[in-house]
């Protein structure tokens, strides 16, 4: 994981200081969670709302968090479920083109090597055609580097479901890719 030694959080939770533990968690991971949700949501306002909802849910569940819990995948699971629920209610899934966030105040603070891809607008267009679960699985694998097993835990589904989601997303790219 990045940015937060587990011992700090475990120590804060053991002392019953949920506020200190949450502050550590929030400061360490807010940028990554916001970036993921920004790519899913299509607007910084929606991503901000979803990130806030994600961290509210995380705060409520923090006391039940086991000491061996990997924090970033746990947060991604909460963020993934929050985004999927939001889009199911909306029945409309919009992806923000990667180019639209560059050079703005909403630009993610995390290094994004994918911003160098010249076809990023085409990538965003294809992502917009995918079911939210498939797109999220593909993003978690391709941009965040999670294994299929980790994605299954994050999305709360089977390994077979993750394989299927990513395979379908890849097939959609092959079918819909306007590239060379």
């Amino acid at each position: 994981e990045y940015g937060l030694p587990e011992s700090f959080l475990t120590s804060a939770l053991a002392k019953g200081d949920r506020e200190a533990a949450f502050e550590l968690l929030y400061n360490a991971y807010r940028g990554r969670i916001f970036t993921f949700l920004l790519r899913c949501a299509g607007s910084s306002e929606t991503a901000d709302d979803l990130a806030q909802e994600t961290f509210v849910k995380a705060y409520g569940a923090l006391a039940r968090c086991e000491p061996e819990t990997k924090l970033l995948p746990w947060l991604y699971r909460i963020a993934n479920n929050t985004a999927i629920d939001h889009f199911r209610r909306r029945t409309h899934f919009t992806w923000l083109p990667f180019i639209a966030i560059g050079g703005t105040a909403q630009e993610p603070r995390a290094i994004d090597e994918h911003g160098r891809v010249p076809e990023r607008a085409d990538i965003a267009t294809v992502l917009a055609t995918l079911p939210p679960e498939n797109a999220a699985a593909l993003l978690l694998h391709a941009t965040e580097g999670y294994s299929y097993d980790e994605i299954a835990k994050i999305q709360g589904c089977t390994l077979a479901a993750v394989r299927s989601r990513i395979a379908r997303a890849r097939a959609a790219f092959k079918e819909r890719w306007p590239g060379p």
Side-chain angles (χ1 to χ4, degrees):
E1 289 189 39
Y2 308 96
L4 181 66
E6 299 291 327
S7 59
F8 287 132
L9 182 67
T10 305
S11 174
L13 286 173
K15 294 176 186 172
D17 195 352
R18 194 166 81 169
E19 286 76 23
F22 178 74
E23 185 176 346
L24 287 168
L25 185 73
Y26 179 78
N27 289 332
Y29 299 128
R30 69 176 177 227
R32 292 187 65 136
I33 297 300
F34 177 79
T35 300
F36 172 72
L37 292 168
L38 180 60
R39 289 190 179 130
C40 292
S43 78
S44 60
E45 294 83 16
T46 303
D48 192 42
D49 290 345
L50 293 173
Q52 182 176 356
E53 187 176 341
T54 296
F55 280 102
V56 166
K57 289 177 180 178
Y59 180 79
L62 199 53
R64 296 183 309 273
C65 201
E66 298 294 326
E68 67 276 357
T69 299
K70 299 288 186 194
L71 298 173
L72 190 55
W74 176 72
L75 278 174
Y76 273 120
R77 181 173 187 168
I78 296 170
N80 177 73
N81 292 342
T82 300
I84 297 296
D85 289 346
H86 170 78
F87 294 119
R88 283 184 180 150
R89 285 190 304 265
R90 251 188 48 198
T91 67
H92 178 66
F93 197 79
T94 306
W95 288 85
L96 178 66
F98 291 112
I99 197 164
I101 59 174
T104 67
Q106 291 81 26
E107 182 173 16
R109 301 271 188 251
I111 297 172
D112 182 6
E113 295 297 321
H114 302 283
R116 296 182 183 174
V117 178
E119 300 89 5
R120 61 188 169 192
D122 294 333
I123 293 170
T125 300
V126 175
L127 284 174
T129 66
L130 301 177
E133 294 87 355
N134 296 2
L138 186 62
L139 277 174
L140 287 168
H141 184 65
T143 64
E144 298 299 328
Y146 281 102
S147 70
Y148 285 24
D149 287 328
E150 292 168 322
I151 295 168
K153 290 175 186 166
I154 290 169
Q155 292 193 324
C157 63
T158 65
L159 182 60
V162 171
R163 286 185 180 133
S164 176
R165 289 172 182 179
I166 292 176
R168 287 180 184 147
R170 287 180 176 156
F173 266 94
K174 286 179 183 177
E175 178 183 312
R176 299 174 188 145
W177 181 250

